[in-house]
Amino acid sequence: MTIEQLQYFYAVSVHKTFSLAALEMNITQSALSKQIAKLEQELGIFLFDRSHRQITLTHDGQQLLKDAKLILKDYEKMLDHLQTIKEENHNTIKIAMLPIFSHYDLAHKLNDFSKNHPHIHLIIDKLKNEIYIIN
């Protein structure tokens, strides 16, 4: 089962027709029907009663719909959270400085930069004054 299949199932459940759900999901009706059939086959249950013009959920379909709503809501929250993280990381500058750079008044210049660009998060790491010898 994929998120995409759950989204298709939800769309069909809401619209009660494959044609309207396919329009909303921007796929062909036959592709949507195939995905729903794959989902039903994987789960081993029928999700829809197709004996009428307007399809209805079976009892099993109603149970899946309850869970699918929660899963899809959590999925959207996760995507929003990831977008926030991406935006935060996109606006971050990491700088590593040796202690000697304090003699050049870089802290004052970086502070001015932060005031002029409040949307950018500066991370400044001071490195230790260590000498590494590589043989």
Side-chain angles (χ1 to χ4, degrees), residues 16 47-58 62:
K16 300 190 183 338
L47 300 170
F48 298 101
D49 177 3
R50 298 169 174 88
S51 61
H52 302 93
R53 182 180 171 152
Q54 191 175 50
I55 61 173
T56 58
L57 287 168
T58 62
Q62 291 172 359

Side-chain angles (χ1 to χ4, degrees), residues 78-92:
M78 180 191 67
L79 291 178
D80 289 344
H81 185 132
L82 290 173
Q83 182 63 33
T84 300
I85 290 169
K86 183 180 174 183
E87 289 169 2
E88 287 172 358
N89 288 338
H90 185 70
N91 293 331
T92 299

Side-chain angles (χ1 to χ4, degrees), residues 111-128:
N111 189 34
D112 287 345
F113 178 85
S114 288
K115 287 179 182 174
N116 292 328
H117 305 281
H119 61 284
I120 296 177
H121 180 83
L122 280 180
I123 298 173
I124 302 170
D125 289 331
K126 282 192 176 180
L127 299 176
K128 296 178 183 173

Side-chain angles (χ1 to χ4, degrees), residues 33-114:
S33 295
K34 286 177 187 175
Q35 287 300 315
I36 295 296
K38 280 178 69 174
L39 180 61
E40 288 177 323
Q41 184 178 12
E42 180 182 338
L43 298 175
I45 58 175
F46 289 105
L47 300 170
F48 298 101
D49 177 3
R50 298 169 174 88
S51 61
H52 302 93
R53 182 180 171 152
Q54 191 175 50
I55 61 173
T56 58
L57 287 168
T58 62
H59 177 70
D60 293 333
Q62 291 172 359
Q63 297 305 309
L64 179 61
L65 181 60
K66 291 176 186 176
D67 293 332
K69 285 179 182 180
L70 296 172
I71 290 168
L72 293 173
K73 186 176 179 181
D74 285 344
Y75 179 71
E76 289 299 320
K77 283 182 189 176
M78 180 191 67
L79 291 178
D80 289 344
H81 185 132
L82 290 173
Q83 182 63 33
T84 300
I85 290 169
K86 183 180 174 183
E87 289 169 2
E88 287 172 358
N89 288 338
H90 185 70
N91 293 331
T92 299
I93 298 175
K94 296 178 182 179
I95 300 172
M97 292 179 33
L98 292 171
I100 193 168
F101 287 122
S102 63
H103 299 298
Y104 299 101
D105 197 27
L106 283 179
H108 182 263
K109 292 176 182 169
L110 291 171
N111 189 34
D112 287 345
F113 178 85
S114 288

